Amino acid sequence: MGKKIKELLNKGRGNTCPEAERKEMLGLFHDSSKEYAVKKQLLKNLHAVEPDDSNHPNYKWMFSNIWRKIEKKNASTGTRYLNSFAKIAAALILGLVIGTYVTSIKKTNEPLYYAAHSPEGSVSDILLPDGSVIFLNAESRIKYSIDGEQGIREVFLDGEAWFDVAENRERPFVVHTSFYDINVTGTKFNVKAYNDDSKVCTTLEEGEVVISSSEKLKVENEVVLKPGEQISFDKSTRTINVKKVNTQRFTSWKDNKLVFVNMHLKEFIVILERKYGVDMEIKNKKILDLHIDCTIKDESIIEILDYLKKTLSISYEMEGQKIIINSN
């Protein structure tokens, strides 16, 4: 399989590559079964990547910088977090080098997209070709185009992501969620848009974003968010609410810190499953109406469960890969 992937990557980046082979190469980045083989081959090829012209970023320098930071972080935190940083490095490098491959192949009339996925139990840091930075929370996916419809920069999001968008007023940046669109020039904001959550929320840290209609939701008057504001769309009632919030509560996850204030246990369980990659079963559904206040930094799932056991008077047991929670 490694030899085949190498051949596809080398052929696909050539300017004379046939359309069919180029599509086959790009298809590698959407096949989760080949994810690590593709990353391995891209890392081998990275040292040979040379920008076509001065308008391209210096990918060699960027990669060296990224890798030094990761090694420094590993040295300071110990091997316990090695796997987590390896996942972040792989996702970041993947986004970086895919941008190189995509921008180096012959352009067609159709926008070219690449995808990234942050699996359960991890947070991924991605550097886009335009200089924008995206943090993907656990079990989140994006599809990105550097030259979408009408030349705009486009991101399609399923899950949660924090954005630091490079300013370019001539090429707007649009985030498409399943219910509304977020129009950006250059700013920092968080979007939580998991398909199975009851709400879609956008929280603005810096700059300005404009919420506009999509195919699923018609917004009569566009909503302009100011720093410190959050817009939430309730899927069941189809209502929109804008309020002032402490943005750190909604963005600290990218720094491996979660803050919960008066949160329903039902929502808390879903977040734990995503963060730790576990499956949890609730025997007594009544306890889902309980509320929790806590902050999670480096605690293990067992430490969190022990805390719940003390504060909410619940019990838990392990059955294989599943955690069973019940009331005392």
Side-chain angles (χ1 to χ4, degrees), residues 65-79:
N65 238 12
I66 293 161
W67 197 252
R68 279 197 299 271
K69 289 179 181 179
I70 292 168
E71 287 185 324
K72 182 179 179 181
K73 190 73 173 178
N74 282 339
S76 64
T77 57
T79 57

Side-chain angles (χ1 to χ4, degrees), residues 225-290:
L225 283 191
K226 297 179 181 179
E229 290 185 337
Q230 180 188 79
I231 184 172
S232 62
F233 170 71
D234 190 301
K235 297 178 184 179
S236 59
T237 62
R238 301 191 67 80
T239 55
I240 290 176
N241 180 46
V242 178
K243 62 181 179 181
K244 294 285 289 185
V245 297
N246 179 354
T247 60
Q248 188 177 5
R249 282 183 51 196
F250 302 94
T251 62
S252 59
W253 59 266
K254 68 182 176 63
D255 301 314
N256 196 33
K257 181 181 179 181
L258 297 177
V259 180
F260 304 99
V261 178
N262 200 32
M263 174 173 279
H264 271 97
L265 188 61
K266 181 179 180 180
E267 297 177 68
F268 186 69
I269 292 297
V270 173
I271 293 173
L272 290 183
E273 289 179 319
R274 289 171 182 156
K275 177 175 173 60
Y276 294 100
V278 296
D279 184 17
M280 307 178 78
E281 180 181 334
I282 312 299
K283 288 293 187 180
N284 183 353
K285 304 299 182 183
K286 290 183 178 180
I287 65 174
L288 293 176
D289 292 328
L290 298 174

Side-chain angles (χ1 to χ4, degrees), residues 25-57:
M25 184 275 286
L26 292 173
L28 289 172
F29 303 114
H30 298 275
D31 188 340
S32 58
S33 66
K34 295 185 177 68
E35 177 184 359
Y36 294 103
V38 172
K39 288 176 181 176
K40 183 178 179 181
Q41 186 57 52
L42 288 173
L43 287 173
K44 285 183 179 179
N45 292 356
L46 188 62
H47 73 279
V49 172
E50 292 291 351
D52 293 336
D53 56 59
S54 59
N55 292 326
H56 283 72

